[in-house]
Amino acid sequence: MKKTGAQILCESLIKEGVEVIFGILGGALLPVYDTLPQYPQLRHILVRHEQGAAHAADGYARVTHKAGVCIATSGPGATNLVTGIANAYMDSCPMVAITGQVGRPFIGKDAFQETDITGITLPITKHNYLVDDTAELARTVKEAFYIAQTGRPGPVLIDMPKDVQQEEVEFTYPEKVDLPGYKFVSRGHLAQIKKAVGRINKAERPVIIAGRGIVISQAYNELKELAEKAQIPVVNTLLGISSFPGAHILNFGMIGMHGMAYANMAVQNADLIIAAGMRFDDRATANTKRFAPQAGVIHIDIDPAEIGKNVPVDIPIVGDVKNVLKAINKQIERRDHLDWITQLDQWRREHPLLGHDQGNELLPQYVIRQIQEATQGNTIIVTGVGQHQMWAAQHFVYTKPNSFISSGGLGTMGFELPAAIGAKVAHPEEMVWSIAGDGGFQMTVQELGTIAQENIAVKIAIINNGYLGMVRQWQELFYERRYVDTKLWNPDFVKIAEAYNISGIKVKSREEVAPAIQKAMDHPGPFLIDFVVEPEENVYPMVQPGESLSRLLETPKPEMISSY
Amino acid sequence: MSLTNKKHTLVALVEDRPGVLNRVASLFRRRAFNIESIAVGRSEKPGLSRMTVVVDGNSAKIEQVRKQLDKLINVVRVTDITAEDIVTRELALIKVNATTATRSEIMQIVDIFRANIVDVASNSLTVEVTGDEDKVESMLELLRSFGVKEISKTGKIALTRG
């Protein structure tokens, strides 16, 4: 039966199991939007800026493990998606981004709202398409979802000229994809697994570094089994948080620039690193030349290009980390590493995170701890980027798998609010907290409109220190306290919320924190809390740029750099 | 793994679609890989082109190039054939100054290299030479003394022997 390109798009999305689309229409998308009412099973959420659509799709994807879908018109609509697409690419999030394009006769003529979005997104998509033949549209959508959701997930963009949306062609949805150039290895090489098992069995001071790959392939149980069976301490990368229970006795926290001292000490003193679904990002490894100097490295990743990219690897295993861990667990010996664990425990006692319970000031760490107290970890935390992100990573105990959603690789301020919208739309039954800084919050603040229009019950905590705090911290430590352009004049955030018909409350003292959080949780709809915190509180520990994980600034006193 | 830089020849089978060369070139730029030459044309398989890329780098870098290329959806297969027994060719068109006095000397050189003269003008000759890189380079070296006006070269193409 003949259908228009717009109908083919909608029906193909339904075939792929899509339920929600985040987007904004425009001239080059009118045929698609005009068709949407024919398909009430596709819920469209009108955002306020296309970047918000991409982040919402990203947040949706992270909690559902399905491709998030965002849609934007040609030209500025498409370019506004770019940050969100790049963010999804860096964090390996499945996403299908659909853009309208000027009609085929106008392409290349610098037509109104024409932009070469496939050219622009070439280096930040897993793949992209410009549909120039309507008969190819169904196959293109099928391929896009397949590519986005398999192997190492990532964003795929489909650019659709307006006349393709209008043209009628025969529609059949393909059953299978035929992509001779696309392959991924799902099961690890048996000989490599055997080698890895031998190495793990012999290790005296092994450490597992769990990355986002564990979350992506939902290998929580396999990771736990490996850790418990061979008694191996587990540390996380930032995006590996919530891949392993936060309160588990073998969990030794986050590594990296703002990682826990004992997590970094574990890595630097290990004789074997089992890197599971992580990519040795420089924020996690610090100086790679002095990273884990005593350790052999087993690296498990589904993307062969990650092996050996940043650090040398002794035993690479290319494959889906869930399958690989399963295979390893079958062969591994039951071991104990009491001396090693005792040593790590001692370091944990000797090098705790900085105190946050003393004094009268309202400290940001205290706010995070109080959200933890009130929710008991039974929530999804979505953060932006900066100091609040690090405090949320350090001071919240993530007991639920995949309960920490954050912009890692790209470090996109303003990610939190739209991503929280995506997470909440995907899981309306779950509590979702968007934790923001006052700087980042203003980068996507307009999505309060989306929240109000769709009544999306996210809880918003602004850690308001009146600065672009992380940059101010760097200025303090490395630029002799010259706070150039990091001080912010801020509006009254509660009034902003109220202008959007969203309830809110300002909190200035410690006593007000817990009641405010309770009030937010009791409130049925969205709720905003503006926590006015100590302006110049810093994130510690900190590995200074260029230093190794072994040299750590643990307190505000520079002479207190500990080396181990 | 060797840390010394050396020229590697990579052969990629790629889908014959618009924009594929752009995807490959964009990848090289983005990852700061240095292309010496790139040549692409139809292969024996319908719908597939064969691309020969010469890259300079140490073996770790080249391994990254290969893996990153392989990740492109339109790239079907990539092999580093540097260490294999291969036949390589490139073609150069060289426009060289020629006077009555030098013309016959140039023609002798052309003969020795089994090259061809493809255009004759009153004050120049255009020579077509095909061969491996060394042959083309030495021919060029000899012609330089007469004054080379213009050069146009294809990139290297390669196949494994047998």
Side-chain angles (χ1 to χ4, degrees), chain A residues 128 181 183 303-305 307, chain B residues 23 64 67 71 73-76:
Chain A
N128 64 23
K183 58 252 151 188
D303 180 357
I307 309 280
Chain B
R23 284 178 198 278
Q64 260 298 300
K67 286 170 168 176
K71 272 170 75 169
I73 310 291
N74 298 129
V75 172
V76 177

Side-chain angles (χ1 to χ4, degrees), chain A residues 1-45:
Chain A
M1 203 179 133
K2 281 202 166 188
K3 294 193 187 285
T4 65
Q7 288 173 317
I8 291 172
L9 174 70
C10 293
E11 295 197 15
S12 303
L13 292 178
I14 291 165
K15 292 259 187 208
E16 289 300 328
V18 173
E19 292 165 2
V20 186
I21 307 168
F22 302 91
I24 308 185
L25 71 173
L29 267 181
L30 276 166
V32 168
Y33 274 77
D34 194 47
T35 309
L36 270 181
Q38 297 172 25
Y39 303 97
Q41 60 273 61
L42 288 175
R43 177 181 179 196
H44 178 266
I45 292 181

Side-chain angles (χ1 to χ4, degrees), chain A residues 122-123 126-128 139 147 152 179-183 303-305 307 309, chain B residues 17 22-23 26 29-31 64 67-68 70-77:
Chain A
L122 211 59
K126 195 169 168 188
H127 195 52
N128 64 23
R139 184 186 59 80
I147 291 169
R152 178 179 181 175
L179 290 162
Y182 181 61
K183 58 252 151 188
D303 180 357
I307 309 280
K309 187 181 78 177
Chain B
R17 283 173 193 260
N22 185 21
R23 284 178 198 278
S26 164
R29 178 194 53 77
R30 135 114 177 84
R31 301 257 173 205
Q64 260 298 300
K67 286 170 168 176
Q68 294 290 354
D70 217 11
K71 272 170 75 169
L72 294 178
I73 310 291
N74 298 129
V75 172
V76 177
R77 197 172 67 231

Side-chain angles (χ1 to χ4, degrees), chain A residues 338-357:
Chain A
L338 273 183
D339 290 350
W340 176 225
I341 307 272
T342 309
Q343 170 70 77
L344 292 183
D345 263 332
Q346 188 189 334
W347 283 334
R348 174 149 55 188
R349 281 193 307 276
E350 289 170 358
H351 300 267
L353 288 170
L354 271 195
H356 45 84
D357 292 325

Side-chain angles (χ1 to χ4, degrees), chain A residues 212-224:
Chain A
R212 185 166 142 68
I214 300 287
V215 175
I216 292 172
S217 73
Q218 302 179 70
Y220 317 114
N221 292 336
E222 289 75 10
L223 172 64
K224 197 154 162 268

Side-chain angles (χ1 to χ4, degrees), chain B residues 101-132:
Chain B
T102 59
R103 187 156 306 202
S104 61
E105 198 183 334
I106 294 172
M107 286 167 74
Q108 273 178 16
I109 294 171
V110 167
D111 249 11
I112 293 166
F113 277 88
R114 277 182 272 165
N116 296 310
I117 290 168
V118 291
D119 186 53
V120 181
S122 58
N123 56 1
S124 70
L125 289 172
T126 301
V127 179
E128 172 208 321
V129 59
T130 310
D132 60 19

